[in-house]
Amino acid sequence: MFIGKTALITGSTSGIGLGIARTLAAQGAHIVLNGFGERAAIDRLRAELAEAHGVQVRHDGADMARPEAIEDMMGRALAEFGSIDILVNNAGIQHVAPVDEFPVDKWYAILAINLSAAFHTVRLALPAMKRKGFGRIVNIASAHALVASKYKSAYVTAKHGIAGFTKAVALEVAEAGITVNAVCPGYVLTPLVEQQIPDTAKARGITQQEVIRDVLLAAQPTKRFVTVEQVAALTAFLCAEDAASITGAVLPIEGGWTAQ
Ligand code: NAD
């Protein structure tokens, strides 16, 4: 249980991040949601989580592509809660294109949101974690932190980068009661994946059904999508006391994909 603890989850208005926020709130953590979305829908979500679990739920719409927006978000959360005990770096975007046609602005956006944003949240969260002698940082990486796929050069680069960042920071804070781990999901059917199906179909010259069967689930020996709830449960375990000896780990949850 995380009663009295505060969790900030980037990119938590949708998909995996929202699943993690729900799971941590259900275990008693106060929640700072982050991410884009319709104001009214986000307000409903905040009220629903707060009422269901008796926790405080805030939303900060900071753009993870902008370091100064991240600084403002972290400053507001630290001022309100004193420390961020659990930091989940989850916000991420994808773009699928051959490298010689890859839009330059998309390359920089993917590196900023999927990689550099975690550098900024971590550097800003650590001082209060160190003062408390407790912290849990979970970086939502990907199977693409461990292996590559065609047409995802920026994403694969960012995700391999976050795996290295995870290990480096874990070593730096190992004696401070702070753990830093990366979780590497295979395909989870969230808006991020649904949106890339048409682009992948175009890049490979196949139908969208063929993308699901022959590209996405072809990589996963279980032939099933990983679920949001499974990723959230693993993340919550890494945040628990029982996981105090797990740090610097880059943990696959991908139906056997990277065992091949
Ligand atoms: P999603 O598109 O459903 O959700 C992404 C979230 O990030 C949303 O809340 C969105 O508002 C937010 N976001 C996007 N850009 C942002 C920005 N600039 N600033 C702040 N918030 C921003 O995606 P998802 O599938 O839930 O992905 C979440 C994470 O999991 C990503 O890092 C992704 O790479 C990773 N992942 C996803 C899969 C998968 O199959 N879905 C697999 C492996 C890893």
Side-chain angles (χ1 to χ4, degrees):
M1 293 296 276
F2 304 117
I3 291 164
K5 293 199 159 55
T6 299
L8 185 150
I9 306 105
T10 69
S12 47
T13 51
S14 165
I16 293 170
L18 176 54
I20 292 169
R22 286 188 187 285
T23 298
L24 296 179
Q27 295 186 34
H30 301 307
I31 301 291
V32 182
L33 297 167
N34 160 257
F36 303 140
E38 218 184 282
R39 183 76 265 155
I42 292 172
D43 286 345
R44 275 198 303 278
L45 176 62
R46 281 179 45 210
E48 175 209 318
L49 284 178
E51 202 168 306
H53 306 299
V55 296
Q56 295 177 49
V57 184
R58 300 281 179 268
H59 171 258
D60 197 305
D63 181 351
M64 292 298 108
R66 295 180 48 233
E68 62 283 9
I70 299 173
E71 285 194 14
D72 289 348
M73 175 185 78
M74 297 299 284
R76 280 188 290 268
L78 289 166
E80 180 160 8
F81 293 103
S83 65
I84 296 161
D85 308 294
I86 297 170
L87 170 65
V88 182
N89 288 302
N90 166 81
I93 59 166
Q94 173 64 287
H95 187 81
V96 178
V99 68
D100 50 348
E101 294 169 20
F102 211 89
V104 171
D105 61 331
K106 295 277 188 215
W107 171 273
Y108 284 113
I110 288 173
L111 289 189
I113 296 165
N114 297 21
L115 178 57
S116 299
F119 160 66
H120 294 295
T121 57
V122 165
R123 73 180 171 82
L124 295 162
L126 275 181
M129 287 180 174
K130 285 179 180 169
R131 278 197 296 277
K132 265 195 160 176
F134 179 88
R136 292 287 187 267
I137 299 173
V138 182
N139 297 320
I140 305 303
S142 166
H144 284 117
L146 301 163
V147 294
S149 294
K150 289 192 276 189
Y151 312 128
K152 296 185 178 177
S153 55
Y155 188 85
V156 169
T157 300
K159 295 298 187 181
H160 275 65
I162 199 97
F165 180 67
T166 299
K167 294 180 198 177
V169 180
L171 295 180
E172 288 186 28
V173 299
E175 293 182 47
I178 303 166
T179 68
V180 190
N181 293 291
V183 165
C184 299
Y187 282 105
V188 186
L189 200 55
T190 64
L192 179 137
V193 168
E194 285 163 9
Q195 282 156 19
Q196 69 185 272
I197 292 172
D199 288 344
T200 305
K202 197 170 147 210
R204 293 182 183 247
I206 57 178
T207 67
Q208 296 194 24
Q209 273 314 311
E210 286 168 334
V211 170
I212 292 174
R213 194 192 61 217
D214 299 337
V215 180
L216 304 186
L217 295 183
Q220 276 174 210
T222 52
K223 300 297 172 205
R224 290 181 181 179
F225 284 105
V226 178
T227 68
V228 165
E229 291 73 21
Q230 290 163 354
V231 179
L234 175 57
T235 302
F237 177 72
L238 291 172
C239 297
E241 271 309 323
D242 281 347
S245 297
I246 305 177
T247 195
V250 180
L251 295 165
I253 170 166
E254 33 58 313
W257 176 347
T258 62
Q260 296 168 99

